[in-house]
């Protein structure tokens, strides 16, 4: 094994993966507040509903077919089935299902959908190892923490390459962190597990234009890779501990500046309280891209007697929203992956139908929507960009009508769902797979998990939801 000492005999600075490993250790052993436990429960409720919604998508059947074709130890379940597969396969399929309607939870600073990746890995591992509820809670907190930390460090300098998928870059790191927090290991194993996970960073954003299904499998790949990284490190394989900040590490490879990203990484750890990552997560009101949420919400609040009377639609959003892959797409669109990204489509469809659900997002050939999309103008302004730096995503939709009237709606931010709204949405999203009574029992069980953490075998909670 290569020496870890510097050639001049001095002690090298502590690597970022080692700092991360120590943060995970503090999560595994430290105090977890009631507020933090409640947030874990809401994230689980939101995720389970999203995964069950994913089962009804056109590709849900293909994902289930993939799962049932995999051989391996019957360790964990795939949502909506009685199929038991290896933890890695369960994590892959469940993460892909969780993201399949593009409405899973959102961490803004990392621009990542953490829940589908981390929760899929944590639940699969809890089933493989029969974790207690307490272990599962700490694993989830750690997974969100590391994904949020890495994504924030990558994006903070503003140099991030938008061709890469943020969730795919940070997800394996978070999934490995969940495995570490729940799986009790040495610091050396933890450092290597995190390093192997960073080497599994994946995903490019061509799907946003071409409409490919890799948008979903990127989540699965990250979730599976985090488990594999931990299992590999447990065997004694070791990874470069400077894989983040090194001369040819991830920060340099992404072009975000090793020194800038490293400073952000260290500052985040030193200044943030335990659980900051998951506490900063939001829940989407509409199943679509994060950057499209506010324009779509504004459009839904406009009520037009006759959409055909529209002469022009002016949409004002942040520069970040307009520049994000797939968001400024006036068509022609071909599939739901594109329609859920396109701001023009979402606004136009909201004006035509007065709602935005899975059915509406499939109406890519509706001539009324296409006509309104051709009348859309997408703009930004400096104040909105300033607000974005403060963590807000303002938008305004102005509609000029044939009679000269101007109707408009301005929102200062996404109308993120409250905890109560996430819970009330749950029975409707799982209705094809659970009765209202069973859905209520599921929520009650998850709340018990969060209130006490003293569930002896957390895997039993999810076996009931999987069938």
């Amino acid at each position: 094994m290569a020496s870890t000492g510097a050639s001049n005999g001095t002690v090298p600075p502590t690597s970022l993966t080692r700092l991360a490993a120590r943060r995970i250790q503090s999560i595994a052993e430290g105090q977890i507040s009631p507020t933090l436990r409640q947030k874990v429960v809401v994230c689980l409720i939101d995720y389970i509903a999203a995964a069950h919604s994913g089962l009804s998508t056109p590709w849900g059947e293909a994902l289930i077919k993939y799962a049932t074709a995999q051989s391996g130890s019957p360790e964990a379940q795939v949502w909506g089935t009685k199929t038991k597969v290896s933890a890695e396969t369960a994590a892959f399929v469940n993460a892909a299902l969780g993201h399949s309607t593009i409405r899973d939870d959102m961490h803004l600073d990392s621009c990542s959908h953490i829940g589908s990746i981390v929760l899929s890995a944590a639940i699969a591992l809890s089933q493989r190892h029969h974790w207690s509820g307490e272990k599962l809670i700490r694993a989830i907190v750690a997974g969100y923490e590391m994904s949020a930390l890495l994504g924030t460090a990558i994006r903070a300098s503003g140099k991030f390459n938008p061709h890469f998928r943020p969730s795919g870059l940070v997800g394996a790191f978070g999934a490995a962190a969940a495995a570490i927090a729940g799986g009790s290991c040495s610091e050396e194993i933890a450092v290597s597990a995190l390093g192997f996970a960073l080497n599994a960073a994946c995903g490019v954003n061509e799907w946003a234009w071409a409409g490919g299904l890799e948008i979903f499998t990127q989540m699965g790949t990250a979730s599976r890779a985090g488990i594999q990284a931990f299992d590999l490190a447990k065997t004694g394989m070791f990874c470069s501990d400077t894989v983040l900040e090194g001369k040819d590490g991830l920060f340099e490879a992404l072009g975000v500046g090793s020194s800038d990203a490293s400073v952000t990484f260290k500052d985040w750890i030193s200044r943030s309280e335990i659980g900051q990552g998951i506490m900063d997560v939001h829940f989407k009101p509409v199943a679509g891209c994060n950057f499209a949420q506010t324009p779509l919400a504004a459009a839904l609040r406009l009520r037009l007697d006759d959409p055909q009377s529209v002469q022009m639609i002016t949409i004002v959003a942040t520069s970040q929203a307009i520049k994000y892959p797939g968001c400024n797409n006036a068509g022609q669109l071909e599939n739901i992956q594109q329609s859920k990204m396109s701001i023009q489509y979402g606004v136009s469809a909201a004006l035509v139908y007065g709602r935005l659900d899975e059915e509406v997002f499939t109406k890519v050939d509706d001539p009324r929507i296409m006509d309104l999309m051709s009348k859309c103008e997408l703009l930004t302004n400096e104040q909105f960009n300033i607000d974005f730096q403060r963590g807000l995503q303002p938008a305004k939709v102005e509609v000029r009508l044939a009679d000269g009237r101007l109707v408009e709606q301005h929102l200062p931010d996404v109308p993120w769902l409250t905890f109560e709204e996430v819970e009330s949405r749950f029975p409707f999203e799982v209705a094809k797979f659970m009765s209202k009574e069973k859905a209520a029992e599921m929520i009650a069980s998850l709340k018990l998990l969060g209130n006490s953490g003293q569930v002896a075998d957390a895997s039993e909670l999810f076996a009931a939801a999987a069938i």
Side-chain angles (χ1 to χ4, degrees):
M1 182 183 300
S3 171
T4 57
S7 59
N8 60 5
T10 61
V11 177
T14 303
S15 70
L16 298 186
T17 50
R18 194 167 296 278
L19 291 177
R22 292 172 183 173
R23 175 77 165 203
I24 296 168
Q25 186 68 20
S26 66
I27 294 172
E29 298 178 351
Q31 292 293 319
I32 303 292
S33 70
T35 300
L36 196 49
R37 292 175 185 274
Q38 182 189 28
K39 188 63 179 283
V40 169
V41 170
V42 180
C43 287
L44 282 167
I45 292 172
D46 183 73
Y47 158 74
I48 292 171
H52 281 74
S53 294
L55 287 165
S56 298
T57 59
W59 49 89
E61 184 178 348
L63 287 168
I64 298 302
K65 184 183 295 184
Y66 170 83
T68 57
Q70 302 305 301
S71 60
S73 302
E75 299 168 332
Q77 280 181 285
V78 174
W79 294 117
T81 78
K82 296 181 179 180
T83 301
K84 279 201 169 186
V85 294
S86 69
E88 293 95 326
T89 297
F92 176 89
V93 175
N94 289 337
L97 288 170
H99 191 55
S100 279
T101 56
I102 318 180
R103 77 118 199 87
D104 40 337
D105 64 30
M106 186 72 207
H107 183 266
L108 297 179
D109 286 346
S110 67
C111 195
S112 298
H113 304 280
I114 298 174
S116 289
I117 298 171
V118 165
L119 295 175
S120 296
I123 290 171
L125 287 166
S126 76
Q127 293 176 323
R128 185 173 81 178
H129 297 293
H130 297 281
W131 284 349
S132 67
E134 189 64 25
K135 276 195 172 185
L136 177 62
I137 288 172
R138 293 173 185 274
I140 290 170
V141 172
Y144 273 88
E145 196 91 332
M146 290 300 107
S147 291
L149 165 60
L150 177 59
T152 300
I154 288 172
R155 296 183 64 85
S157 69
K159 301 174 183 177
F160 177 73
N161 184 338
H163 299 304
F164 289 108
R165 180 88 188 279
S167 300
L169 293 177
V170 308
F173 193 66
I180 293 165
S184 300
C185 65
S186 69
E187 183 175 293
E188 296 306 317
I189 289 175
V191 168
S192 284
L194 293 171
F196 284 128
L198 288 166
N199 275 278
C202 68
V204 294
N205 277 327
E206 179 58 18
W207 58 267
W209 302 109
L213 298 181
E214 67 269 29
I215 175 181
F216 312 123
T217 62
Q218 286 167 355
M219 315 297 277
T221 298
S223 190
R224 177 176 59 194
I227 295 176
Q228 291 172 330
F230 177 72
D231 288 347
L232 190 60
K234 288 275 284 186
T235 69
M237 293 286 287
F238 68 92
C239 188
S240 308
D241 66 348
T242 52
V243 67
L244 276 174
E245 70 273 29
K247 290 188 292 185
D248 287 289
L250 184 66
F251 291 157
E252 288 297 332
L254 295 177
V256 297
S258 179
S259 59
D260 291 343
S262 295
V263 168
T264 301
F265 194 98
K266 293 176 183 177
D267 284 351
W268 198 100
I269 289 178
S270 65
R271 296 178 183 179
S272 64
E273 297 182 358
I274 293 296
Q276 190 65 52
I278 195 169
M279 291 305 298
D280 286 344
V281 162
H282 296 284
F283 305 102
K284 292 180 179 180
V286 174
C289 178
N290 163 64
F291 286 116
Q293 292 291 317
T294 322
L296 271 54
L300 285 170
R301 298 188 184 196
L302 293 174
R303 293 291 183 266
L304 302 182
D305 295 331
D306 181 15
Q308 291 184 331
S309 68
V310 172
Q311 295 294 301
M312 184 176 183
I313 303 171
T314 301
I315 306 165
V316 187
T318 64
S319 295
Q320 290 78 7
I322 294 172
K323 291 187 297 185
Y324 195 80
C327 286
N328 185 4
N329 187 352
Q332 176 70 40
L333 307 185
E334 297 178 355
N335 52 55
I336 196 170
Q337 292 85 271
Q338 295 167 328
S339 68
K340 286 194 173 186
M341 297 301 297
S342 168
I343 293 174
Q344 292 95 326
Y345 181 92
V347 168
S348 299
L351 295 177
V352 169
Y353 285 95
R355 70 182 199 279
L356 288 171
D357 52 28
E358 292 302 298
E359 180 187 8
V360 170
F361 278 114
T362 66
K363 305 289 187 179
V364 291
D365 56 354
D366 188 319
R368 297 171 298 171
I369 296 177
M370 290 188 287
D371 176 59
L372 291 188
M373 289 177 69
S374 69
K375 298 174 181 177
C376 287
E377 179 183 33
L378 202 51
L379 305 174
T380 189
N381 68 39
E382 188 57 33
Q383 184 56 53
F384 281 11
N385 292 335
I386 293 172
D387 291 341
F388 182 83
Q389 297 304 318
R390 297 169 44 229
L392 303 175
Q393 296 184 81
K396 180 169 67 173
V397 177
E398 298 178 344
V399 181
R400 178 74 62 182
L401 303 175
D403 61 9
R405 287 184 299 133
L406 181 69
V407 294
E408 63 179 47
Q409 182 67 240
H410 168 251
L411 293 176
D413 194 15
V414 179
W416 302 110
L417 295 190
T418 64
F419 290 4
E420 293 75 17
E421 288 169 331
V422 170
E423 183 177 331
S424 65
R425 180 172 66 177
F426 182 87
F428 299 97
E429 291 192 301
V430 302
K432 289 184 179 181
F433 304 93
M434 295 185 205
S435 65
K436 288 184 178 180
E437 293 74 20
K438 187 174 180 181
E441 290 175 4
M442 186 73 210
I443 289 176
S445 296
L446 292 172
K447 287 182 176 180
L448 178 63
L449 169 74
N451 288 338
S452 67
Q454 300 305 309
V455 176
D457 186 350
S459 66
E460 296 177 359
L461 297 177
F462 305 106
I467 299 173

